[in-house]
Amino acid sequence: MATGGEDSTRYVKDDAAVGGKLPVMCDPCGRRKRTTPAAVVCSSCDMNLCRECRQVHEIYAAGEHVFVAVDENSIENLIVNMQGLDVCNDHDRPFVFICKDHDTLCCEYCHFDFHRTCQDVSKLKDIDTDVKSSVTKYVDTIQEAIVRSQEMIDNCEIKVQANDERRHEIMSKIDSKKEEIIKRFDEEKRRIGEDLDEVIMSDKTRLGDVKYEAKSVNGNLQNFMSLVEAVDQHGTDVEKSILNFTCKQKTTWATAKLTELQNSEYTVQHTLEWSDHLLAIMEEPLVTLRHAPRPSAMGTGTADNDHDVGKA
């Protein structure tokens, strides 16, 4: 049982009423145009409730609820929902005794089975007021624990957010370094491309000249072969003698010219030589994520768990 004042019982004073009091009506019923007297007050939600509405309220309204009885005969007769703290978990019976030898609450079954021979067992209803109110000495400690736990909740949320921000920062650094590497490769690609263009253009010019000269030789020899066939079939002995002498000169000229052109008929071969340093780092991690050591469970200080990024 708990004790409260007039605000807890939610009575309305009215000198014209019998006894100077009017019972408070049920709030949910009032919204439905009903005049049902309230049986209890939910002090958690500040709401008057009849018995029917209390059941609905306790099931469907969010949060924990403390119900105070509305009793016209005794304003101080208040009922508190103990949330199961007043019931034995083993026997589902209300606590009746307190055993100070074992510092535990007992229902009648616990007392009979385990605490009959204990020296310091008292009935809860016989405990004096000072002992009943001694719970107030724990209130400050509980309030401090509430504040501390809330700070811990806030700190956890801050650290989680900081970890997310740190992750984004690390990923951004990797992306930035990636862009730097890509930019460096692009610069190397441009430089290599310019070198290739210069060499290939030189090859193209030289091969074009060789091709032109080879076409000239080929055309000259094709025409000469036509003449050879004509003289061989229809020419005189003198014409055949002249042709025979000319064939010797033409052969010498063609052989020398083709040998000269063949010496210019080549292309420069191209290969890539990668930096040994680049090849080495390609076989190992480019970047390493380092973790600060976790704080010891026995330590008194707080270690910072921020992550450092080590560069390969």
Side-chain angles (χ1 to χ4, degrees):
M1 295 296 182
T3 303
E6 293 179 357
D7 290 341
S8 298
T9 56
R10 298 292 295 275
Y11 275 99
V12 177
K13 300 293 184 180
D14 188 346
D15 293 338
V18 177
K21 301 176 183 176
L22 281 178
V24 176
M25 297 295 114
C26 173
D27 291 336
C29 289
R31 288 194 288 271
R32 290 179 290 175
K33 308 300 182 182
R34 299 178 183 178
T35 55
T36 308
V40 294
V41 176
C42 178
S43 60
S44 303
C45 302
D46 193 26
M47 183 178 293
N48 306 308
L49 304 162
C50 64
R51 288 183 175 83
E52 180 181 352
C53 291
R54 169 188 170 161
Q55 294 177 354
V56 176
H57 182 79
E58 191 169 13
I59 294 173
Y60 294 105
E64 298 291 339
H65 304 282
V66 177
F67 296 103
V68 178
V70 175
D71 186 348
E72 294 184 4
N73 297 319
S74 176
I75 291 178
E76 295 184 353
N77 184 23
L78 307 179
I79 299 175
V80 177
N81 182 358
M82 291 295 290
Q83 303 176 21
L85 295 178
D86 56 343
V87 178
C88 174
N89 290 331
D90 295 329
H91 303 104
D92 196 24
R93 300 284 295 175
F95 289 125
V96 180
F97 303 94
I98 180 171
C99 176
K100 294 185 178 179
D101 291 347
H102 296 93
D103 193 25
T104 185
L105 297 171
C106 314
C107 68
E108 63 269 27
Y109 292 147
C110 293
H111 176 257
F112 182 81
D113 292 339
F114 306 111
H115 301 280
R116 282 182 298 167
T117 60
C118 295
Q119 299 298 315
D120 194 352
V121 178
S122 303
K123 288 187 175 182
L124 291 173
K125 67 178 183 178
D126 295 335
I127 298 176
D128 58 54
T129 303
D130 290 339
V131 175
K132 291 177 180 178
S133 62
S134 64
V135 69
T136 57
K137 69 181 181 180
Y138 299 108
V139 170
D140 290 342
T141 302
I142 294 174
Q143 291 291 353
E144 290 175 1
I146 291 174
V147 172
R148 183 181 176 187
S149 62
Q150 185 60 50
E151 290 177 349
M152 189 174 296
I153 293 171
D154 296 340
N155 287 337
C156 288
E157 292 177 352
I158 291 173
K159 290 182 180 297
V160 168
Q161 182 178 357
N163 281 341
D164 290 339
E165 293 175 353
R166 182 58 172 160
R167 184 188 186 279
H168 177 73
E169 179 184 353
I170 289 174
M171 294 297 101
S172 297
K173 287 183 176 181
I174 293 176
D175 287 338
S176 177
K177 186 59 65 177
K178 174 184 173 182
E179 291 300 324
E180 290 180 14
I181 294 173
I182 292 175
K183 182 179 179 181
R184 179 65 185 275
F185 268 97
D186 287 341
E187 292 174 353
E188 291 296 295
K189 180 179 178 180
R190 178 190 56 78
R191 182 180 62 81
I192 295 296
E194 290 176 352
D195 289 346
L196 281 172
D197 289 342
E198 181 179 351
V199 175
I200 290 173
M201 182 58 67
S202 176
D203 281 355
K204 184 177 181 180
T205 301
R206 184 181 64 259
L207 292 173
D209 293 341
V210 172
K211 177 181 177 181
Y212 178 81
E213 294 291 335
K215 280 185 175 182
S216 177
V217 172
N218 183 272
N220 187 291
L221 294 176
Q222 290 284 358
N223 292 333
F224 185 75
M225 285 301 298
S226 298
L227 178 62
V228 168
E229 290 178 2
V231 171
D232 184 59
Q233 293 179 6
H234 308 289
T236 64
D237 291 340
V238 173
E239 290 174 338
K240 291 180 179 181
S241 296
I242 294 172
L243 182 62
N244 183 57
F245 180 81
T246 305
C247 281
K248 179 180 179 182
Q249 291 181 327
K250 185 66 72 173
T251 301
T252 301
W253 168 82
T255 301
K257 188 63 177 178
L258 292 176
T259 300
E260 176 187 348
L261 294 176
Q262 188 174 13
N263 290 333
S264 298
E265 186 193 4
Y266 66 89
T267 56
V268 177
Q269 299 301 311
H270 315 287
T271 57
L272 284 177
E273 292 185 3
W274 296 96
S275 166
D276 291 339
H277 178 66
L278 176 60
L279 296 178
I281 65 173
M282 292 298 291
E283 298 179 359
E284 60 185 34
L286 298 180
V287 61
T288 301
L289 185 64
R290 304 188 189 281
H291 303 276
R294 298 181 182 274
S296 171
M298 300 299 293
T300 58
T302 301
D304 190 356
N305 283 332
D306 285 348
H307 295 167
D308 294 329
V309 175
K311 300 179 181 178

PDB file of all heavy atoms in Angstrom, residues 178 181-182 185 274-287 312:
ATOM      1  N   LYS A 178      42.825   6.773 -54.401  1.00  0.00           N
ATOM      2  CA  LYS A 178      42.525   6.070 -55.651  1.00  0.00           C
ATOM      3  C   LYS A 178      42.529   7.058 -56.820  1.00  0.00           C
ATOM      4  O   LYS A 178      43.086   6.764 -57.893  1.00  0.00           O
ATOM      5  CB  LYS A 178      41.167   5.388 -55.533  1.00  0.00           C
ATOM      6  CG  LYS A 178      40.670   4.751 -56.819  1.00  0.00           C
ATOM      7  CD  LYS A 178      39.263   4.189 -56.625  1.00  0.00           C
ATOM      8  CE  LYS A 178      38.689   3.704 -57.945  1.00  0.00           C
ATOM      9  NZ  LYS A 178      37.299   3.208 -57.767  1.00  0.00           N
ATOM     10  N   ILE A 181      46.058   7.963 -57.710  1.00  0.00           N
ATOM     11  CA  ILE A 181      46.730   6.894 -58.455  1.00  0.00           C
ATOM     12  C   ILE A 181      46.229   6.858 -59.896  1.00  0.00           C
ATOM     13  O   ILE A 181      47.017   6.717 -60.839  1.00  0.00           O
ATOM     14  CB  ILE A 181      46.507   5.544 -57.754  1.00  0.00           C
ATOM     15  CG1 ILE A 181      47.209   5.538 -56.389  1.00  0.00           C
ATOM     16  CG2 ILE A 181      47.014   4.391 -58.614  1.00  0.00           C
ATOM     17  CD1 ILE A 181      46.923   4.318 -55.549  1.00  0.00           C
ATOM     18  N   ILE A 182      44.905   6.981 -60.063  1.00  0.00           N
ATOM     19  CA  ILE A 182      44.341   6.979 -61.416  1.00  0.00           C
ATOM     20  C   ILE A 182      44.882   8.163 -62.216  1.00  0.00           C
ATOM     21  O   ILE A 182      45.226   8.020 -63.402  1.00  0.00           O
ATOM     22  CB  ILE A 182      42.797   7.023 -61.346  1.00  0.00           C
ATOM     23  CG1 ILE A 182      42.263   5.713 -60.774  1.00  0.00           C
ATOM     24  CG2 ILE A 182      42.203   7.286 -62.727  1.00  0.00           C
ATOM     25  CD1 ILE A 182      40.769   5.703 -60.554  1.00  0.00           C
ATOM     26  N   PHE A 185      48.342   7.324 -63.298  1.00  0.00           N
ATOM     27  CA  PHE A 185      48.310   6.389 -64.421  1.00  0.00           C
ATOM     28  C   PHE A 185      47.886   7.094 -65.708  1.00  0.00           C
ATOM     29  O   PHE A 185      48.417   6.794 -66.787  1.00  0.00           O
ATOM     30  CB  PHE A 185      47.368   5.230 -64.119  1.00  0.00           C
ATOM     31  CG  PHE A 185      48.045   4.047 -63.486  1.00  0.00           C
ATOM     32  CD1 PHE A 185      48.026   3.858 -62.113  1.00  0.00           C
ATOM     33  CD2 PHE A 185      48.728   3.126 -64.268  1.00  0.00           C
ATOM     34  CE1 PHE A 185      48.653   2.782 -61.528  1.00  0.00           C
ATOM     35  CE2 PHE A 185      49.362   2.035 -63.704  1.00  0.00           C
ATOM     36  CZ  PHE A 185      49.337   1.859 -62.321  1.00  0.00           C
ATOM     37  N   TRP A 274      57.397  -2.320 -66.366  1.00  0.00           N
ATOM     38  CA  TRP A 274      56.750  -1.804 -65.172  1.00  0.00           C
ATOM     39  C   TRP A 274      57.773  -1.564 -64.065  1.00  0.00           C
ATOM     40  O   TRP A 274      58.742  -2.293 -63.927  1.00  0.00           O
ATOM     41  CB  TRP A 274      55.691  -2.784 -64.675  1.00  0.00           C
ATOM     42  CG  TRP A 274      54.561  -2.975 -65.643  1.00  0.00           C
ATOM     43  CD1 TRP A 274      54.440  -3.975 -66.563  1.00  0.00           C
ATOM     44  CD2 TRP A 274      53.412  -2.150 -65.783  1.00  0.00           C
ATOM     45  NE1 TRP A 274      53.281  -3.827 -67.283  1.00  0.00           N
ATOM     46  CE2 TRP A 274      52.623  -2.713 -66.825  1.00  0.00           C
ATOM     47  CE3 TRP A 274      52.960  -0.994 -65.149  1.00  0.00           C
ATOM     48  CZ2 TRP A 274      51.412  -2.150 -67.229  1.00  0.00           C
ATOM     49  CZ3 TRP A 274      51.748  -0.440 -65.544  1.00  0.00           C
ATOM     50  CH2 TRP A 274      50.996  -1.009 -66.575  1.00  0.00           C
ATOM     51  N   SER A 275      57.489  -0.551 -63.274  1.00  0.00           N
ATOM     52  CA  SER A 275      58.355  -0.257 -62.137  1.00  0.00           C
ATOM     53  C   SER A 275      58.363  -1.444 -61.168  1.00  0.00           C
ATOM     54  O   SER A 275      57.319  -2.007 -60.846  1.00  0.00           O
ATOM     55  CB  SER A 275      57.862   1.004 -61.414  1.00  0.00           C
ATOM     56  OG  SER A 275      58.462   1.142 -60.155  1.00  0.00           O
ATOM     57  N   ASP A 276      59.547  -1.830 -60.723  1.00  0.00           N
ATOM     58  CA  ASP A 276      59.649  -2.926 -59.750  1.00  0.00           C
ATOM     59  C   ASP A 276      58.877  -2.599 -58.471  1.00  0.00           C
ATOM     60  O   ASP A 276      58.283  -3.484 -57.841  1.00  0.00           O
ATOM     61  CB  ASP A 276      61.121  -3.201 -59.416  1.00  0.00           C
ATOM     62  CG  ASP A 276      61.868  -3.794 -60.600  1.00  0.00           C
ATOM     63  OD1 ASP A 276      61.206  -4.344 -61.497  1.00  0.00           O
ATOM     64  OD2 ASP A 276      63.113  -3.687 -60.621  1.00  0.00           O
ATOM     65  N   HIS A 277      58.884  -1.337 -58.083  1.00  0.00           N
ATOM     66  CA  HIS A 277      58.160  -0.918 -56.868  1.00  0.00           C
ATOM     67  C   HIS A 277      56.661  -1.128 -57.058  1.00  0.00           C
ATOM     68  O   HIS A 277      55.968  -1.616 -56.154  1.00  0.00           O
ATOM     69  CB  HIS A 277      58.459   0.547 -56.570  1.00  0.00           C
ATOM     70  CG  HIS A 277      57.712   1.079 -55.375  1.00  0.00           C
ATOM     71  ND1 HIS A 277      57.936   0.627 -54.103  1.00  0.00           N
ATOM     72  CD2 HIS A 277      56.745   2.022 -55.283  1.00  0.00           C
ATOM     73  CE1 HIS A 277      57.127   1.260 -53.263  1.00  0.00           C
ATOM     74  NE2 HIS A 277      56.396   2.111 -53.961  1.00  0.00           N
ATOM     75  N   LEU A 278      56.149  -0.788 -58.252  1.00  0.00           N
ATOM     76  CA  LEU A 278      54.725  -0.974 -58.522  1.00  0.00           C
ATOM     77  C   LEU A 278      54.364  -2.452 -58.515  1.00  0.00           C
ATOM     78  O   LEU A 278      53.354  -2.853 -57.930  1.00  0.00           O
ATOM     79  CB  LEU A 278      54.365  -0.353 -59.873  1.00  0.00           C
ATOM     80  CG  LEU A 278      52.919  -0.538 -60.341  1.00  0.00           C
ATOM     81  CD1 LEU A 278      51.956   0.087 -59.349  1.00  0.00           C
ATOM     82  CD2 LEU A 278      52.719   0.034 -61.730  1.00  0.00           C
ATOM     83  N   LEU A 279      55.188  -3.280 -59.121  1.00  0.00           N
ATOM     84  CA  LEU A 279      54.919  -4.715 -59.140  1.00  0.00           C
ATOM     85  C   LEU A 279      54.946  -5.304 -57.744  1.00  0.00           C
ATOM     86  O   LEU A 279      54.189  -6.227 -57.428  1.00  0.00           O
ATOM     87  CB  LEU A 279      55.945  -5.423 -60.038  1.00  0.00           C
ATOM     88  CG  LEU A 279      55.906  -5.054 -61.530  1.00  0.00           C
ATOM     89  CD1 LEU A 279      57.005  -5.792 -62.273  1.00  0.00           C
ATOM     90  CD2 LEU A 279      54.540  -5.370 -62.124  1.00  0.00           C
ATOM     91  N   ALA A 280      55.815  -4.762 -56.899  1.00  0.00           N
ATOM     92  CA  ALA A 280      55.923  -5.285 -55.529  1.00  0.00           C
ATOM     93  C   ALA A 280      54.670  -4.966 -54.723  1.00  0.00           C
ATOM     94  O   ALA A 280      54.123  -5.829 -54.027  1.00  0.00           O
ATOM     95  CB  ALA A 280      57.162  -4.712 -54.845  1.00  0.00           C
ATOM     96  N   ILE A 281      54.176  -3.723 -54.806  1.00  0.00           N
ATOM     97  CA  ILE A 281      53.017  -3.349 -53.981  1.00  0.00           C
ATOM     98  C   ILE A 281      51.732  -3.970 -54.504  1.00  0.00           C
ATOM     99  O   ILE A 281      50.759  -4.083 -53.759  1.00  0.00           O
ATOM    100  CB  ILE A 281      52.859  -1.816 -53.885  1.00  0.00           C
ATOM    101  CG1 ILE A 281      52.526  -1.217 -55.261  1.00  0.00           C
ATOM    102  CG2 ILE A 281      54.079  -1.170 -53.300  1.00  0.00           C
ATOM    103  CD1 ILE A 281      52.203   0.271 -55.196  1.00  0.00           C
ATOM    104  N   MET A 282      51.728  -4.411 -55.774  1.00  0.00           N
ATOM    105  CA  MET A 282      50.546  -5.066 -56.298  1.00  0.00           C
ATOM    106  C   MET A 282      50.341  -6.441 -55.682  1.00  0.00           C
ATOM    107  O   MET A 282      49.250  -7.011 -55.754  1.00  0.00           O
ATOM    108  CB  MET A 282      50.643  -5.194 -57.823  1.00  0.00           C
ATOM    109  CG  MET A 282      50.563  -3.866 -58.569  1.00  0.00           C
ATOM    110  SD  MET A 282      48.998  -3.002 -58.305  1.00  0.00           S
ATOM    111  CE  MET A 282      47.899  -4.093 -59.192  1.00  0.00           C
ATOM    112  N   GLU A 283      51.370  -6.985 -55.046  1.00  0.00           N
ATOM    113  CA  GLU A 283      51.290  -8.300 -54.430  1.00  0.00           C
ATOM    114  C   GLU A 283      51.037  -8.234 -52.929  1.00  0.00           C
ATOM    115  O   GLU A 283      51.048  -9.255 -52.249  1.00  0.00           O
ATOM    116  CB  GLU A 283      52.578  -9.088 -54.713  1.00  0.00           C
ATOM    117  CG  GLU A 283      52.821  -9.348 -56.197  1.00  0.00           C
ATOM    118  CD  GLU A 283      54.120 -10.105 -56.434  1.00  0.00           C
ATOM    119  OE1 GLU A 283      54.811 -10.399 -55.434  1.00  0.00           O
ATOM    120  OE2 GLU A 283      54.433 -10.396 -57.603  1.00  0.00           O
ATOM    121  N   GLU A 284      50.815  -7.036 -52.394  1.00  0.00           N
ATOM    122  CA  GLU A 284      50.546  -6.872 -50.971  1.00  0.00           C
ATOM    123  C   GLU A 284      49.452  -5.829 -50.796  1.00  0.00           C
ATOM    124  O   GLU A 284      49.122  -5.094 -51.734  1.00  0.00           O
ATOM    125  CB  GLU A 284      51.821  -6.441 -50.231  1.00  0.00           C
ATOM    126  CG  GLU A 284      52.390  -5.128 -50.714  1.00  0.00           C
ATOM    127  CD  GLU A 284      53.718  -4.799 -50.052  1.00  0.00           C
ATOM    128  OE1 GLU A 284      54.485  -5.732 -49.771  1.00  0.00           O
ATOM    129  OE2 GLU A 284      53.958  -3.614 -49.834  1.00  0.00           O
ATOM    130  N   PRO A 285      48.821  -5.774 -49.605  1.00  0.00           N
ATOM    131  CA  PRO A 285      47.758  -4.793 -49.393  1.00  0.00           C
ATOM    132  C   PRO A 285      48.254  -3.369 -49.646  1.00  0.00           C
ATOM    133  O   PRO A 285      49.343  -2.988 -49.227  1.00  0.00           O
ATOM    134  CB  PRO A 285      47.381  -4.992 -47.923  1.00  0.00           C
ATOM    135  CG  PRO A 285      47.798  -6.384 -47.606  1.00  0.00           C
ATOM    136  CD  PRO A 285      49.028  -6.631 -48.425  1.00  0.00           C
ATOM    137  N   LEU A 286      47.438  -2.595 -50.345  1.00  0.00           N
ATOM    138  CA  LEU A 286      47.809  -1.208 -50.619  1.00  0.00           C
ATOM    139  C   LEU A 286      47.596  -0.322 -49.403  1.00  0.00           C
ATOM    140  O   LEU A 286      48.256   0.700 -49.249  1.00  0.00           O
ATOM    141  CB  LEU A 286      46.982  -0.674 -51.794  1.00  0.00           C
ATOM    142  CG  LEU A 286      47.186  -1.394 -53.129  1.00  0.00           C
ATOM    143  CD1 LEU A 286      46.300  -0.765 -54.192  1.00  0.00           C
ATOM    144  CD2 LEU A 286      48.644  -1.340 -53.556  1.00  0.00           C
ATOM    145  N   VAL A 287      46.633  -0.708 -48.542  1.00  0.00           N
ATOM    146  CA  VAL A 287      46.341   0.088 -47.353  1.00  0.00           C
ATOM    147  C   VAL A 287      45.928  -0.869 -46.240  1.00  0.00           C
ATOM    148  O   VAL A 287      45.323  -1.905 -46.491  1.00  0.00           O
ATOM    149  CB  VAL A 287      45.221   1.127 -47.639  1.00  0.00           C
ATOM    150  CG1 VAL A 287      43.938   0.432 -48.030  1.00  0.00           C
ATOM    151  CG2 VAL A 287      44.987   2.032 -46.437  1.00  0.00           C
ATOM    152  N   ALA A 312      50.305   1.497 -47.033  1.00  0.00           N
ATOM    153  CA  ALA A 312      51.299   0.525 -47.465  1.00  0.00           C
ATOM    154  C   ALA A 312      52.419   1.220 -48.195  1.00  0.00           C
ATOM    155  O   ALA A 312      52.208   2.219 -48.845  1.00  0.00           O
ATOM    156  CB  ALA A 312      50.645  -0.524 -48.352  1.00  0.00           C
TER     157      ALA A 312
END
